[in-house]
Amino acid sequence: MDIRQATVSDLLGMQKTNLFNLPENYTFKYYLYHAMTWPELSYVACNPKGEVVGYILAKMDEENTEIPSGHVTSISVLRSYRRLGLAAKLMRQSQHAMNHLYKAHHITLHVRESNKPAISLYRDNLGFEQTGVEKGYYADGESAYQMTYKFNKD
Ligand SMILES: CC(C)(COP(=O)(O)OP(=O)(O)OC[C@H]1O[C@@H](n2cnc3c(N)ncnc32)[C@H](O)[C@@H]1OP(=O)(O)O)[C@@H](O)C(=O)NCCC(=O)NCCS
């Protein structure tokens, strides 16, 4: 499996994977905005045929710029490629770029309260902590956990 930085030609494959996996979908323009603004932060996992089977779409926080922080907009892996360590690898690549290129102090993301696999990925595997709850965050009314990863735990 090939894991590499996403390019503009991967964006349709990322969008397709997102549509398969998650109800939170984005316009193509939004993918393009990520790729043009923070090209080093989004990654894809491709199978031997070169098809996108997983992705991480990530950005830097544009509102609170005093302390630079990264934000994971979306991450997902197609069902038949799960539990191979792809999501963890995609996240680590993006984390590394956020920290080294953008000097991020921490990373935030939202996850559905009911999304046990993703919560386990973030908390147990990657070292994120739950730092808040946003009631009714999702369009269907489900609440989100806000999860944060701190680069320098001190
Ligand atoms: C969540 C998701 C991205 C994980 O992708 P993945 O490539 O299968 O994850 P990895 O193989 O890298 O797993 C790393 C760790 O995450 C945790 N994890 C992943 N899937 C899990 C599951 N189904 N149940 C429990 N823990 C799980 C485990 O700690 C795992 O480590 P282990 O395999 O050594 O036990 C994938 O299940 C997915 O795409 N789900 C649908 C989309 C989604 O929910 N995205 C997140 C939105 S916030």
Side-chain angles (χ1 to χ4, degrees), residues 22 75-77 82-88 115 117 120-122 125:
L22 284 163
I75 179 168
S76 76
V77 172
R82 290 185 190 164
R83 293 312 280 267
L84 299 173
L86 292 180
N115 193 344
S120 170
L121 167 72
Y122 304 139
N125 194 283

Side-chain angles (χ1 to χ4, degrees), residues 39-112:
E40 313 86 353
L41 300 187
S42 294
Y43 288 82
V44 286
C46 296
N47 67 13
K49 287 189 200 159
E51 297 159 338
V52 173
V53 298
Y55 67 87
I56 181 166
L57 184 70
K59 62 196 277 260
M60 293 302 291
D61 188 342
E62 295 169 283
E63 281 162 26
N64 308 309
T65 47
E66 219 163 279
I67 300 175
S69 70
H71 183 77
V72 177
T73 303
S74 185
I75 179 168
S76 76
V77 172
L78 287 179
R79 197 169 288 278
S80 47
Y81 293 87
R82 290 185 190 164
R83 293 312 280 267
L84 299 173
L86 292 180
K89 285 205 180 96
L90 288 162
M91 179 71 89
R92 288 205 186 92
Q93 294 280 348
S94 186
Q95 275 178 317
H96 185 268
M98 285 174 187
N99 190 220
H100 285 80
L101 300 176
Y102 291 93
K103 308 286 176 234
H105 171 267
H106 61 275
I107 306 172
T108 59
L109 58 80
H110 292 97
V111 59
R112 285 176 179 268

Side-chain angles (χ1 to χ4, degrees), residues 14-22 24-25 31 55 74:
M14 291 165 75
Q15 189 177 33
K16 194 171 148 198
T17 306
N18 167 266
L19 286 167
F20 266 121
N21 285 333
L22 284 163
E24 288 72 45
N25 309 133
Y31 285 88
Y55 67 87
S74 185

